[in-house]
Amino acid sequence: MKDTATPIPGSGLSSASPTVHDEPGISHPVDASNPNLPETDHAKAKSAEKNEPNDEDDGEVPSSQDDDVLIVDWDGPDDPMDPKNWSYKKKWAATAIVSAFTFISPVSSSMMAPASEQIAGQFGITNSSVIALLTSVFVAAYAFGPLFLGPLSELYGRSRVLQVANMWYFAWNLGCGFAQNEAQLIAFRFLAGLGGSAPLSIGGGVLGDLWRPEERGQAIALYSLAPLLGPVIGPACGAWVAERSTWRWVFWSTTIADGIVQLLGLFFLRETFAPILLEQKAERMRKSMDPEKAQTRQIRTVFDGADRHWKHIVKKALIRPFVLFYHEPIVQLLGLYMAFVYGTLYLFLTTIPSIFEGVYHQPVGIAGLHYFALGVGLTGASQINARMLDKVYKHFQAKNGGVGKPEYRLPSMVPGAFLLPAGLLITGWTARPDVHWIAPDIGIALVGAGTILNFQSIQTYVIDAFTLHAASALAAVTFFRSLAGFGFPLFAPAMYNALGYGKGDTILAAVSILIGVPAPFLFWTYGERIRHASKFARQSIGR
């Protein structure tokens, strides 16, 4: 059997290692040439190198412990089966499908906001916090879904879990349109949100499987725009649906759109997770092997380990995000700031109708169009940043002798840290009947621009800083940002009723300046020192 199995250190194993996400329970291959390895890892790598085959081994590598064990890996660093070696057409097709999944779920999260008063009238809801809860409970599920969907994707593969979770979302979102009381609607919304959270937690893993670090910027820019643009498009469409039809069509229309995305996913989203792909390769080898040999020779992949059991994977994935948040200053500060930014976004999504319907007395459909101001800021800044992320990274990498650092992702966070509070102040103090409505729209657009610049910079920094543990680091950040997205809209009505838009947004702007403005400068100066002292963050090496 030729080209079926390759040696642990000698056949491009580094190409098989997931670049972005930590895989609980996976035994990662060790590269003896890496100068940053501890002595124990060097010893393991050197020991493994003794098993390197000669030219007559035909790619089959006996284990050092058992001559009847074959180790299955990619057929060298250029193996076309490795997702990182797929054509750009296939990579972008998968990226587009994952981004579509990531877009449609947040559309549902906020599309019912303009229809919430209509729903409240039908179900007799008078408490403003309960009315806000109808919208934000969907986002609460975003905090908990990734904790078990992530581990499931490591057991059964990215594509399978993404699509099954989306079908779960499809069913419960459809059910929301048939809800007969507020309890049913809240429960159905939460269950739909659990399924809708899958692309937020697994999508980053797909991008890590597909793209190398120097190629990753544009893909992440598209992927990270989706969950922010979705909540903008949703309410704008929902306002017209609610005005021209019944609130139930808010849910039925998103279900139809999700069905189209699901069909595309069935045809174009292939599996990208290296351990699953190599296990499929090993299974084909077992089936093709002579039955007598199959009984005596063990075939396993380079990722297989004694701890790759579902109980271990789930336990590790559940605990590590909180361990990271407790121990890592990077995750603490950036996670706190991202939670604030995400919470502010959802606070805006629920208060835009009250500004333009209450202050400017515009009808529901017209007031919904102002969500596009947020979309203009999000999309415009994202398009500029998508073209700059990789260019800026490569510029500083070249100045540093070809050695890349996660800190080279931070420059785009600087304008974002200033645009966000500026937008908050402009929106708050111009939302008055005597000021033209274009003024708060300008502020809203600046909030959108600041949000996406911060969002993309933080995500790429965390991914680059926690290469092997990025899944857990992002899970920690996602958990707390989703709780903020759930909680902020609940206190917004009381805050604005007590303080007004000017003072209320000034408080938010002050918090934004306090947390956000120092962050990029602190991590630019001290980020590398923090990473070198970290148990989880990888040390920067040249690429």
Side-chain angles (χ1 to χ4, degrees):
M1 275 184 308
K2 294 198 174 189
D3 300 326
T4 52
T6 52
I8 293 179
S11 295
L13 294 186
S14 60
S15 70
S17 304
T19 305
V20 170
H21 278 240
D22 160 39
E23 317 301 349
I26 291 174
S27 300
H28 291 285
V30 182
D31 179 7
S33 65
N34 186 351
N36 295 317
L37 285 177
E39 283 187 26
T40 53
D41 286 343
H42 273 297
K44 291 177 184 177
K46 292 297 182 184
S47 174
E49 283 179 351
K50 295 177 183 179
N51 296 317
E52 184 169 351
N54 56 36
D55 294 338
E56 299 172 0
D57 281 332
D58 291 335
E60 299 180 359
V61 186
S63 163
S64 58
Q65 297 177 341
D66 189 343
D67 290 341
D68 291 324
V69 176
L70 296 179
I71 306 298
V72 180
D73 192 8
W74 302 122
D75 297 332
D78 299 320
D79 187 345
M81 297 300 294
D82 183 350
K84 286 188 174 63
N85 296 323
W86 288 359
S87 67
Y88 275 93
K89 183 178 180 181
K90 287 183 180 179
K91 287 183 180 183
W92 277 111
T95 300
I97 293 296
V98 169
S99 298
F101 278 129
T102 312
F103 171 77
I104 194 64
S105 171
V107 166
S108 296
S109 73
S110 60
M111 189 169 175
M112 67 160 288
S116 57
E117 294 295 334
Q118 191 182 113
I119 296 170
Q122 180 166 341
F123 291 153
I125 306 170
T126 56
N127 189 311
S128 61
S129 294
V130 175
I131 295 173
L133 180 65
L134 295 174
T135 299
S136 62
V137 70
F138 191 97
V139 185
Y142 282 0
F144 301 98
L147 295 178
F148 63 87
L149 290 172
L152 285 175
S153 75
E154 292 158 6
L155 283 169
Y156 301 108
R158 316 279 199 204
S159 177
R160 187 180 303 174
V161 175
L162 263 176
Q163 300 198 53
V164 170
N166 186 66
M167 292 176 187
W168 174 274
Y169 155 76
F170 179 96
W172 289 109
N173 193 62
L174 179 65
C176 288
F178 294 98
Q180 299 302 309
N181 54 59
E182 67 178 271
Q184 286 184 5
L185 184 57
I186 291 173
F188 292 171
R189 289 273 290 166
F190 183 82
L191 291 169
L194 287 178
S197 70
L200 300 178
S201 58
I202 302 171
V206 174
L207 300 189
D209 297 338
L210 289 169
W211 301 97
R212 293 181 171 84
E214 63 273 12
E215 305 170 329
R216 195 181 294 153
Q218 290 192 23
I220 290 181
L222 174 64
Y223 169 71
S224 59
L225 175 64
L228 300 179
L229 192 58
V232 173
I233 303 277
C237 298
W240 288 101
V241 171
E243 186 174 300
R244 305 284 176 170
S245 181
T246 171
W247 62 267
R248 298 184 186 277
W249 270 105
V250 168
F251 299 104
W252 294 338
S253 59
T254 51
T255 302
I256 292 169
D258 181 61
I260 295 171
V261 174
Q262 179 63 61
L263 287 174
L264 292 173
L266 289 173
F267 287 104
F268 297 109
L269 185 59
R270 296 168 55 189
E271 184 54 58
T272 63
F273 191 37
I276 297 296
L277 293 174
L278 290 176
E279 180 56 40
Q280 292 171 354
K281 179 179 179 179
E283 186 60 31
R284 290 194 298 270
M285 289 172 56
R286 295 184 190 106
K287 290 181 179 179
S288 64
M289 185 178 287
D290 182 271
E292 292 184 5
K293 281 189 176 182
Q295 294 177 3
T296 60
R297 303 199 76 178
Q298 180 186 352
I299 299 175
R300 62 182 178 85
T301 75
V302 70
F303 290 101
D304 285 339
D307 58 355
R308 188 163 168 76
H309 185 274
W310 72 269
K311 289 183 179 178
H312 180 85
I313 292 174
V314 172
K315 180 181 177 181
K316 198 170 184 180
L318 284 173
I319 294 174
R320 180 172 281 162
F322 301 101
V323 173
L324 278 164
F325 193 83
Y326 182 78
H327 289 289
E328 297 292 336
I330 294 172
V331 178
Q332 290 167 359
L333 182 55
L334 295 183
L336 179 65
Y337 184 49
M338 184 178 268
F340 172 79
V341 170
Y342 199 71
T344 301
L345 175 69
Y346 270 85
L347 183 147
F348 258 66
L349 293 172
T350 55
T351 55
I352 284 175
S354 64
I355 291 176
F356 293 100
E357 292 176 36
V359 176
Y360 293 99
H361 306 294
Q362 295 176 344
V364 174
I366 299 299
L369 293 177
H370 294 278
Y371 282 101
F372 286 114
L374 195 60
V376 167
L378 287 168
T379 307
S382 175
Q383 289 300 307
I384 296 170
N385 201 34
R387 289 163 172 77
M388 296 303 296
L389 268 175
D390 287 336
K391 289 182 179 179
V392 170
Y393 185 88
K394 291 176 181 177
H395 168 75
F396 285 108
Q397 184 183 39
K399 289 183 67 175
N400 196 41
V403 178
K405 296 181 182 180
E407 286 72 32
Y408 299 158
R409 302 293 190 183
L410 292 174
S412 61
M413 190 176 172
V414 175
F418 289 98
L419 286 173
L420 180 60
L424 286 166
L425 292 171
I426 292 172
T427 303
W429 291 105
T430 59
R432 306 197 312 265
D434 59 319
V435 178
H436 193 274
W437 54 259
I438 195 65
D441 270 353
I442 292 171
I444 291 169
L446 292 178
V447 168
T451 297
I452 193 64
L453 290 174
N454 283 301
F455 205 88
Q456 290 175 342
S457 184
I458 291 171
Q459 276 206 321
T460 50
Y461 181 81
V462 170
I463 286 172
D464 285 357
F466 293 89
T467 303
L468 290 179
H469 304 294
S472 298
L474 287 175
V477 172
T478 300
F479 180 84
F480 290 102
R481 92 177 188 214
S482 299
L483 289 181
F486 164 69
F488 272 45
L490 299 184
F491 72 74
M495 181 182 74
Y496 287 127
N497 287 338
L499 301 175
Y501 293 111
K503 292 180 181 179
D505 283 349
T506 299
I507 292 174
L508 294 177
V511 175
S512 176
I513 293 169
L514 182 65
I515 302 174
V517 172
F521 301 102
L522 286 173
F523 283 110
W524 184 269
T525 306
Y526 302 108
E528 186 171 7
R529 187 185 307 175
I530 294 171
R531 287 186 291 105
H532 278 266
S534 168
K535 176 183 176 182
F536 295 99
R538 70 167 178 86
Q539 295 188 6
S540 295
I541 59 174
R543 293 196 179 279

